[in-house]
């Protein structure tokens, strides 16, 4: 995929509904995350809050390109937009953050560590890189059953996670098995506070794709149309049997690592530079300029999603919290009574 | 499972080895359950480092797959496949290398059911324990490490029939099972046939009844305990009861406590390192729930607290032997 960003931007053929869906998922996620942030600051959330601000274009492009009910998406730390695009109901998020026992994790796990594995959304564990091989296994299972045709499995990692053994093992395994996998690397310049030059010494993370025999693509993560195009194409390539694809997106995290972190280690020059652009702003401009949506439409979406977020928070807030007396305390599915 | 082969025109009844039992169980599983597949290094055409998958790749094309040397990804893969409804069996070439997969085992596989309500039925075969000359990195016993984590089942078959039935049972369980097979037993242990009377996982067996002391053992140490018991019988008419735990998690304390009630004396025996572990767990539980049954302070015997040595002479003195077991038992019997 040698396209320059300019070529990508001007490339026609981005489906109108697709672009609109990408942006709508971005906006919905941003509004939800703004709310999560204020709930955190008001002390209403158990544990930490981890946001994907600035990474929505990448994440939503992936989530929108995947087919619900067929594909697999192992969302990671900054993937609220991708989760939303892939069909995760907002209430799954608010319930998990607020500890509602009705949430998918029932209060047993929190924040971003949620999923619905039977709906193609494995629940992440903290250990970075560990999801890559899990997606591989889900794909191998489908292959053995003869159900792999037209299926894609995808996951996201950060620049920091590319340093883990699990990432290397998982990507290599996917390449060996020629799995229809898409791995998105959100290179947001920092892993928590550690800059990329303390994380890896290769010139470009894209070199890794080549090293594994994996298709490599690079994209400006602040450019919504470019993300929609490049990531959409990578998913399509994987779907058509071209083997694993890796997309490296250059961007900047627009919040701290979590809401407990003010991100003061990020140099101002980076924030004010190209990478510091907010993809929600560039996206709404791009959509209006290219005729994908009108400013009025975007305003209406904003207002609808604000109401939706409000409702999801209000609902989760009045739901029961887990009760240790009614907790089953079973770590095994097999109940011999004495495990 | 006894095999008939022709040699020099005569029909010979061959016995089944422990590793044959493991192979045969996998063959049966592959034949009868389309959800089962095998994944591991060199297990396909080559048949596995110990030949536990010999011939299976040919018989079940596409279901016996060679993996890259990627223990972390092997277990991650199996978790993903299990979520999708498969029943993967992963062969670690040696138990020792499962340390690379530790994260996926204890954090991914073990927590999954509790966190999501979705079971993860996978089986990890760990060729465990020492053999002469295997050295520090091909001899370790990891059962206590995995048993420590909620959400895992850890089994340690000591007999040919258990090796067979417990592998079938492990794959049938909806939970991740760490199946610790002992390398020393692979070809050394033989049986005329596989018995059909498999006990369920979670049930211990009285391998040898006795009345003067109980040895609680598992895996290869069951056989060393029986040898020690034979010696003490000859030596002084002592009748030592040997309990084979079979699975260390679940731990069948009913059988252990009933045995201690009969004998009043306990030696917990294991090949793993002495710090903590299964033997400590057994002693602790007997002290808590059966203190009144004891006529002597319970004892435990493990390997020495060093890495497993390479030279056969050192190795033989590193793990418990009939001699060292007898020594412990004499202390127990004369208390
Ligand atoms: C294996 C592992 N080590 C350490 C951590 C703690 N940790 C959580 S997030 C993080 C930084 C991750 O950086 P990166 O992968 O670049 O993703 P980003 O947060 O920038 O999106 C660290 C060190 C972890 N979760 N997993």
């Amino acid at each position: 995929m040698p396209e320059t960003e300019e070529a990508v931007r001007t490339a026609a053929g981005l489906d109108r509904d697709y672009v609109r869906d990408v942006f709508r998922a971005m906006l919905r996620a941003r509004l939800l995350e703004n709310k999560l942030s204020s709930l955190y600051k008001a002390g209403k959330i158990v544990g930490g809050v981890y946001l994907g601000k600035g990474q929505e274009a990448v994440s939503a492009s992936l989530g929108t390109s995947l087919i619900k009910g067929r594909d697999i998406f192992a969302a990671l730390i900054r993937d609220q937009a991708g989760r939303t695009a892939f069909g995760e109901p907002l209430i799954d998020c608010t319930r998990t953050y607020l500890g509602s026992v009705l949430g998918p994790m029932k209060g047993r796990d929190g924040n971003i560590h949620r999923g619905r594995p039977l709906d193609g959304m494995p629940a992440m564990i903290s250990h970075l890189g560990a999801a890559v091989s899990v997606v591989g296994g889900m794909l191998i299972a489908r292959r053995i059953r003869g159900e792999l045709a037209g299926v894609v499995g995808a996951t996201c990692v950060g620049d920091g996670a590319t340093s883990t053994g699990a990432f290397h093992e998982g990507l290599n395994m996917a390449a060996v098995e020629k799995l229809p996998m898409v791995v998105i690397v959100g290179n947001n310049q920092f892993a928590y506070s550690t800059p990329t030059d303390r994380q890896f010494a290769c010139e470009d993370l894209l070199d890794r794709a080549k090293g594994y025999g994996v298709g490599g693509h690079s994209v400006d993560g602040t450019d919504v149309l470019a993300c929609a195009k490049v990531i959409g194409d990578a998913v399509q390539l994987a779907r058509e049997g071209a083997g694993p694809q890796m997309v490296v997106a250059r961007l900047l995290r627009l919040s701290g690592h979590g809401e407990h972190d003010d991100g003061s280690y990020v140099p101002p020059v980076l924030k004010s530079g190209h990478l510091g652009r907010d993809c929600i702003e560039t996206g709404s401009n791009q959509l209006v300029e290219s005729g994908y949506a009108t400013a009025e439409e975007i305003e209406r979406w904003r207002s609808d999603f604000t109401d939706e977020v409000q409702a999801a928070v209000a609902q989760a807030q009045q739901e029961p919290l887990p009760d240790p007396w009614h907790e089953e305390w079973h770590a095994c599915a097999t109940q011999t009574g004495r495990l | 499972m006894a095999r008939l082969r022709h040699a020099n025109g005569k029909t010979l009844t061959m016995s089944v080895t422990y590793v044959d039992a493991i192979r045969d169980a996998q063959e049966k599983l592959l034949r009868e359950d389309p959800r089962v597949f095998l994944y591991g290094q060199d297990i396909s055409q080559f048949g596995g480092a110990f030949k536990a998958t010999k011939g299976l790749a040919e018989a079940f094309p596409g279901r016996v797959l060679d993996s890259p040397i990627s223990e972390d990804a092997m277990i991650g893969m199996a978790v993903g496949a299990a979520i999708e409804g498969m029943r993967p069996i992963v062969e670690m070439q040696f138990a020792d290398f499962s340390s690379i997969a530790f994260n996926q085992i204890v954090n991914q596989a073990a927590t999954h059911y509790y966190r999501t309500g979705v079971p993860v039925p996978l089986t990890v075969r760990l060729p465990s324990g020492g053999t002469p000359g295997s050295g520090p990195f091909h001899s370790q016993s990891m059962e206590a490490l995995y048993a420590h984590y909620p959400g895992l089942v850890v089994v340690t078959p000591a007999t040919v029939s258990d090796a067979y039935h417990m592998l079938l049972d492990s794959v049938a369980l909806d939970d991740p099972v760490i199946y610790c097979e002992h390398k020393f037993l692979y070809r050394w242990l033989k049986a005329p046939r596989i018995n059909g009377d498999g006990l369920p996982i979670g049930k211990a067996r009285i391998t040898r009844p006795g009345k003067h002391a109980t040895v609680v053992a598992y895996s290869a140490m069951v056989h060393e305990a029986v040898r020690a018991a034979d010696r003490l019988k000859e030596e002084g008419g002592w009748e030592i009861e040997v309990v084979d735990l079979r699975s260390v998690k679940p731990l069948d304390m009913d059988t252990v406590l009933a045995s201690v009630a009969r004998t009043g004396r306990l030696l917990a025996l294991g090949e793993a390192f002495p710090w903590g572990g299964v033997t400590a767990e057994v002693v602790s539980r007997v002290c808590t729930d059966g203190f009144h049954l004891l006529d002597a302070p319970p004892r435990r015997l493990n390997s020495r607290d060093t890495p497993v040595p390479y030279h056969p002479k050192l190795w033989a003195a590193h793990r418990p032997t009939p001699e060292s077991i007898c020594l412990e038992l004499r202390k127990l019997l004369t208390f």
Side-chain angles (χ1 to χ4, degrees):
Chain A
M1 300 288 295
E3 286 105 330
T4 63
E5 278 140 35
E6 196 52 41
V8 166
R9 246 195 305 278
T10 52
L14 274 182
D15 180 78
R16 180 180 149 87
D17 286 343
Y18 168 58
V19 172
R20 286 162 67 93
D21 284 350
V22 168
F23 186 75
R24 283 162 56 84
M26 292 170 58
L27 192 58
R28 209 193 216 139
R30 176 64 66 88
L31 293 166
L32 174 63
E33 292 202 333
N34 285 344
K35 183 68 186 171
L36 292 174
S37 171
S38 60
L39 285 169
Y40 174 79
K41 284 171 184 146
K44 300 239 165 89
I45 280 184
V46 189
V49 168
Y50 302 89
L51 304 183
K53 282 187 180 180
Q55 309 201 185
E56 290 94 339
V58 175
S59 187
S61 296
L62 179 62
T64 310
S65 302
L66 298 172
I67 301 169
K68 293 105 223 160
R70 183 202 286 182
D71 289 340
I72 294 154
F73 178 35
L76 213 76
I77 180 166
R78 312 216 182 272
D79 279 323
Q80 186 54 53
R83 288 172 179 274
T84 308
F86 193 59
E88 184 189 74
L90 290 194
I91 192 74
D92 271 20
C93 173
T94 55
R95 279 174 167 161
T96 308
Y97 266 108
L98 289 160
S100 160
V101 75
L102 303 181
M105 312 310 281
K106 300 182 177 168
R108 296 172 184 178
D109 208 340
N111 54 61
I112 47 181
H113 299 108
R114 63 181 190 274
R116 293 188 177 270
L118 299 180
D119 298 331
M121 291 201 78
M124 69 171 278
I125 66 168
S126 279
H127 299 62
L128 295 167
V132 180
S133 56
V134 173
V135 173
M138 295 175 84
L139 293 171
I140 285 176
R142 306 245 186 133
R143 187 173 68 196
I144 292 174
R145 287 206 302 256
E147 298 165 3
L148 190 61
V151 171
V152 169
T155 189
C156 299
V157 296
D159 42 284
T162 65
S163 307
T164 66
F167 170 81
H168 292 271
E169 290 196 5
L171 193 59
N172 180 60
M173 175 186 278
V176 167
E177 296 287 349
K178 300 188 174 53
L179 296 175
M181 192 194 282
V182 175
V183 177
I184 309 276
V185 180
N187 182 357
N188 60 16
Q189 317 306 316
F190 291 89
Y192 208 151
S193 75
T194 305
T196 49
D197 63 355
R198 298 300 304 162
Q199 201 66 245
F200 53 86
C202 55
E203 221 153 83
D204 192 325
L205 284 174
L206 212 53
D207 300 345
R208 302 236 159 121
K210 197 167 186 189
Y212 291 115
V214 161
H217 316 262
S218 191
V219 72
D220 175 351
T222 69
D223 181 330
V224 178
L225 294 184
C227 287
K229 167 92 178 116
V230 171
I231 292 171
D233 285 352
V235 170
Q236 195 54 29
L237 275 171
R239 203 181 295 289
E240 286 164 0
Q245 307 293 318
M246 175 168 151
V247 181
V248 179
R250 292 178 316 272
L251 40 81
L252 189 68
R253 202 181 61 206
L254 299 184
S255 54
H257 169 61
E259 286 307 274
H260 57 275
D261 167 30
D262 65 4
S264 54
Y265 42 82
V266 180
V269 55
L270 259 185
K271 291 189 201 168
S272 58
H274 180 86
L275 287 185
R277 297 199 298 172
D278 183 342
C279 59
I280 299 283
E281 281 167 31
T282 56
S284 59
N285 292 339
Q286 284 178 314
L287 259 66
V288 173
E289 278 164 23
S290 318
Y292 286 108
T294 63
E296 294 72 43
E297 273 178 314
I298 294 178
E299 264 328 294
R300 202 170 58 243
W301 293 340
R302 192 181 286 277
S303 131
D304 289 351
F305 296 152
T306 306
D307 293 348
E308 209 181 314
V309 166
Q310 211 63 44
V313 170
Q315 184 174 336
Q317 270 180 325
Q318 44 117 16
E319 286 176 353
L321 300 174
D323 172 358
W325 297 103
H326 289 100
E327 171 69 2
E328 280 160 358
W329 300 114
H330 287 155
C332 281
T334 315
Q335 293 310 324
T336 67
R338 45 180 177 194
L339 288 175
Chain B
M1 245 6 87
R3 291 170 181 182
L4 298 177
R5 291 203 189 132
H6 293 279
N8 305 327
K10 283 190 203 149
T11 301
L12 294 176
T13 303
M14 303 289 287
S15 54
V16 193
T17 65
Y18 183 88
V19 75
D20 288 340
I22 292 167
R23 187 212 162 275
D24 292 353
Q26 293 184 104
E27 180 172 21
K28 179 179 164 71
L29 285 160
L30 284 163
R31 194 170 52 241
E32 295 180 356
D33 188 344
R35 301 170 302 174
V36 172
F37 72 100
L38 314 187
Y39 198 54
Q41 291 149 27
D42 311 294
I43 67 164
S44 168
Q45 220 59 35
F46 188 65
F50 299 102
K51 302 296 172 203
T53 56
K54 191 165 172 231
L56 298 180
E58 293 78 37
F60 304 96
R63 291 170 67 200
V64 182
L65 310 171
D66 281 333
S67 72
I69 304 175
S70 302
E71 287 76 10
D72 181 297
M74 287 158 69
I75 302 296
M77 191 287 281
V79 170
I83 291 171
E84 289 283 303
M86 302 297 281
R87 303 254 158 183
I89 303 175
V90 178
E91 175 178 303
M92 287 284 146
Q93 204 152 69
F94 288 85
D96 312 60
F97 301 114
S98 73
S99 55
I100 311 294
F102 192 67
N103 175 50
Q104 298 283 13
I105 296 174
V106 308
N107 288 313
Q108 197 89 261
T111 66
H112 201 268
Y113 176 74
Y114 182 70
R115 295 169 64 234
T116 68
V118 178
V120 174
L122 63 86
T123 301
V124 192
R125 289 181 36 233
L126 297 188
S128 304
T131 51
S134 293
F137 311 116
H138 294 77
S139 301
Q140 293 174 79
S141 302
M142 319 278 282
E143 60 279 350
L145 284 173
Y146 295 119
H148 184 71
Y149 284 86
L152 299 174
V153 173
V154 182
V155 304
T156 50
T159 69
V160 171
S161 294
D162 274 354
Y164 181 80
H165 289 294
M166 292 182 81
L167 188 48
L168 300 183
D169 292 349
S170 298
V171 174
L173 275 192
D174 274 343
D175 290 297
V177 180
I178 310 298
Y179 176 98
C180 303
E181 52 196 60
H182 203 293
K183 300 196 297 293
F184 185 75
L185 302 182
Y186 274 157
R187 296 185 188 283
W188 176 81
L189 194 64
K190 297 184 180 75
R193 75 193 69 78
I194 287 167
N195 301 321
D197 61 345
L199 289 169
I201 287 176
K203 207 74 199 102
R205 173 186 288 119
I206 310 289
T207 295
R208 174 195 176 102
K211 56 184 180 202
H212 296 120
T214 295
V215 182
V216 171
Y218 59 98
S219 192
M221 281 297 133
V222 170
H223 305 281
E224 305 303 328
V226 168
R227 286 175 175 170
D230 284 343
R231 286 192 194 182
L232 288 178
K233 171 88 177 160
E234 255 172 53
E235 198 178 290
W238 299 110
E239 291 180 29
I240 307 297
E241 180 147 309
V242 178
V243 176
D244 173 4
L245 286 177
R246 299 176 68 253
S247 73
V248 303
K249 194 174 191 178
L251 187 56
D252 180 4
M253 286 310 294
D254 294 349
T255 300
V256 170
L257 286 165
S259 174
V260 173
R262 280 191 291 277
T263 66
R265 288 173 160 80
L266 168 70
L267 170 65
L269 172 66
E271 183 176 331
F273 301 131
W275 208 98
V278 177
T279 56
E281 188 69 30
V282 168
V283 167
S284 146
R285 293 195 193 196
V286 167
C287 286
T288 303
D289 296 328
F291 195 68
H292 58 291
L293 308 172
L294 290 165
D295 297 326
R299 304 190 68 85
R300 49 194 292 255
L301 181 64
N302 285 84
S303 75
R304 293 176 194 258
D305 192 22
T306 69
V308 185
Y310 159 72
H311 196 278
K313 281 188 167 182
L314 292 177
W315 173 73
H318 182 266
R319 72 201 289 256
T321 57
E323 293 75 37
S324 64
I325 298 166
C326 283
L327 213 64
E328 288 300 314
L329 281 170
R330 280 188 211 105
K331 289 182 203 159
L332 199 60
L333 292 164
T334 57
F335 176 82

Coordinates of all heavy atoms in Angstrom, one line a residue, chain A residues 27 114 140 144 170 174-175 185 217 231 283 299 309 320 339:
Chain A
L27 N -17.5 10.0 17.2 CA -18.2 11.0 18.0 C -18.9 10.5 19.2 O -18.8 11.0 20.3 CB -19.2 11.7 17.0 CG -19.8 13.0 17.5 CD1 -18.7 14.1 17.8 CD2 -20.8 13.6 16.5
R114 N -13.3 -5.6 29.3 CA -14.6 -6.2 29.2 C -14.8 -6.7 27.7 O -14.0 -6.3 26.9 CB -15.7 -5.1 29.4 CG -15.7 -4.0 28.4 CD -16.8 -2.9 28.7 NE -16.8 -2.0 27.6 CZ -16.1 -0.9 27.5 NH1 -15.2 -0.6 28.4 NH2 -16.2 -0.1 26.5
I140 N -8.1 -19.9 14.0 CA -7.7 -21.3 13.7 C -8.9 -22.2 14.0 O -9.2 -23.1 13.2 CB -6.5 -21.7 14.5 CG1 -5.2 -21.0 13.8 CG2 -6.3 -23.2 14.6 CD1 -3.9 -21.2 14.6
I144 N -10.5 -24.8 11.2 CA -10.6 -26.2 11.4 C -12.1 -26.7 11.2 O -12.3 -27.7 10.6 CB -10.1 -26.7 12.8 CG1 -8.6 -26.5 12.9 CG2 -10.5 -28.1 13.1 CD1 -8.1 -26.7 14.3
G170 N 2.7 -13.8 18.7 CA 1.4 -13.9 18.2 C 1.4 -13.5 16.7 O 0.7 -14.1 15.9
A174 N 0.6 -15.9 13.5 CA -0.5 -15.5 12.5 C 0.1 -15.6 11.1 O -0.6 -16.0 10.1 CB -1.0 -14.2 12.8
A175 N 1.3 -15.1 10.9 CA 1.9 -15.1 9.6 C 2.2 -16.6 9.1 O 1.9 -16.9 8.0 CB 3.2 -14.3 9.6
V185 N -1.3 -0.9 15.0 CA -0.5 -0.4 16.0 C -0.7 1.1 16.1 O -0.5 1.9 15.1 CB 1.0 -0.6 15.6 CG1 1.9 0.0 16.7 CG2 1.3 -2.1 15.4
H217 N 1.2 -1.4 6.4 CA 0.5 -0.2 5.9 C 0.8 0.9 6.9 O 0.8 0.7 8.1 CB -1.0 -0.4 5.8 CG -1.4 -1.7 5.1 ND1 -1.7 -1.8 3.8 CD2 -1.4 -2.9 5.6 CE1 -1.9 -3.0 3.5 NE2 -1.8 -3.7 4.6
I231 N -7.2 1.5 6.6 CA -7.6 0.4 7.5 C -8.7 -0.4 6.8 O -8.7 -1.6 6.8 CB -8.0 1.0 8.8 CG1 -6.8 1.6 9.5 CG2 -8.7 -0.1 9.7 CD1 -7.1 2.3 10.8
G283 N -11.9 15.4 11.3 CA -12.9 14.5 10.7 C -14.2 15.3 10.4 O -14.7 15.2 9.3
E299 N -24.0 18.2 14.0 CA -24.6 18.8 15.2 C -25.7 17.9 15.8 O -25.8 17.7 17.0 CB -25.1 20.2 15.0 CG -24.0 21.3 15.4 CD -23.1 20.8 16.5 OE1 -23.6 20.7 17.7 OE2 -21.9 20.6 16.3
V309 N -25.7 8.9 25.7 CA -24.6 8.7 26.8 C -25.3 9.0 28.1 O -25.1 8.2 29.1 CB -23.4 9.7 26.5 CG1 -22.6 9.7 27.8 CG2 -22.6 9.2 25.3
P320 N -28.1 -2.4 40.4 CA -27.5 -3.0 41.6 C -26.0 -3.2 41.4 O -25.5 -3.5 40.3 CB -28.2 -4.3 41.8 CG -28.9 -4.6 40.5 CD -29.1 -3.3 39.8
L339 N -12.9 -28.0 44.0 CA -11.8 -27.5 43.3 C -11.0 -26.5 44.1 O -9.9 -26.3 44.0 CB -12.2 -26.9 41.9 CG -12.6 -27.9 40.8 CD1 -13.1 -27.1 39.7 CD2 -11.5 -28.7 40.4

